[in-house]
Amino acid sequence: MSIEYRFESVVRPGACRPAMQEIRAALARHLRDPQLLADLDLAITEAVANVVRHAYPQSGGEGPMRVLLRFHPGHSVELEFADQGRGLPAEVARRLHPGAAVPEPGAEGGRGLFILQSLADELDVGVRDGWNVISFRKNVEQGAWN
Amino acid sequence: MELTIDKLPAALVLRVAGEITIDNAQDLKEQAKSILDDMDQPLLIMDMERITFIDSSGIGFLIVLKARCEDKGKSLVLLRPSQQAAKILRLVQLDALFRIADSESQAMDPA
């Protein structure tokens, strides 16, 4: 059996972390490993930050976002982050693959998606029903579950 | 997020308690800029022990802080990064870019 949570919210600059509070709470209900929870918290934050930075420039970064969280107890956690913004530029999407090069040390930004990729066991980028979707899967060993 | 500034004779210590994320990294950059502009000490110590969570924007803040220190001929040392902070620094392969110390006295030792 899998368990699925769906969250719909409006994200805006300056309020990324509070917008994800319920997702963090759901993760903490199902998973007990603090390091895993910290990794997933980071993945969520980077995904939301990516939307706020890039998806909705015409409305100052504010716009709708959907997050789907699916638990396969004993096996894995899946997260899908969806927005209706302008989508990832092709050259950014191309950089998203396992073993992608780390951004230059002196660069101020450009690490968010690299981090998301690094934390995932599987990461996909696509478009579905007019929404840009980043799908993230993390395998989670038996002992890490509540 | 709470920012504490300790002005010691040999170093200025920035202590951040709480989170450094996309939500507050820009504010922190501006605070740090004005602090650096007024700083006389040759060394800036960034105390990271009480940082509960840091993301890529927080890493961007550290990069900017390092660049500003270098522009002004100052050194930057990261003090006691929390486990989560140390992990993300390794993940983005920046742990070797920064001087990292386990104690204030070690931070004040010339490299």
Side-chain angles (χ1 to χ4, degrees), chain A residues 79-140:
Chain A
L79 280 154
E80 286 183 7
F81 306 97
D83 70 73
Q84 290 190 300
R86 58 183 179 171
L88 281 183
E91 77 271 13
V92 174
R94 263 201 301 279
R95 287 204 303 267
L96 279 178
H97 57 82
V102 67
E104 286 294 304
E108 186 180 339
R111 294 188 180 81
L113 292 171
F114 174 83
I115 289 171
L116 201 57
Q117 173 79 64
S118 304
L119 293 170
D121 285 302
E122 195 178 329
L123 192 78
D124 282 309
V125 178
V127 178
R128 196 193 305 148
D129 305 327
W131 291 74
N132 308 300
V133 182
I134 294 183
S135 309
F136 171 103
R137 184 174 56 78
K138 182 98 181 151
N139 298 331
V140 178

Side-chain angles (χ1 to χ4, degrees), chain B residues 18-56:
Chain B
E19 299 188 344
I20 309 181
T21 69
I22 181 169
D23 288 339
N24 61 13
Q26 192 55 40
D27 283 352
L28 196 53
K29 274 178 205 167
E30 282 157 26
Q31 292 290 335
K33 183 178 188 309
S34 65
I35 291 164
L36 272 169
D37 284 344
D38 297 338
M39 171 178 167
D40 301 319
Q41 297 90 333
L43 174 65
L44 180 69
I45 299 175
M46 172 79 195
D47 183 349
M48 299 179 67
E49 191 173 24
R50 293 171 67 208
I51 294 178
T52 53
F53 184 83
I54 184 166
D55 68 359
S56 66

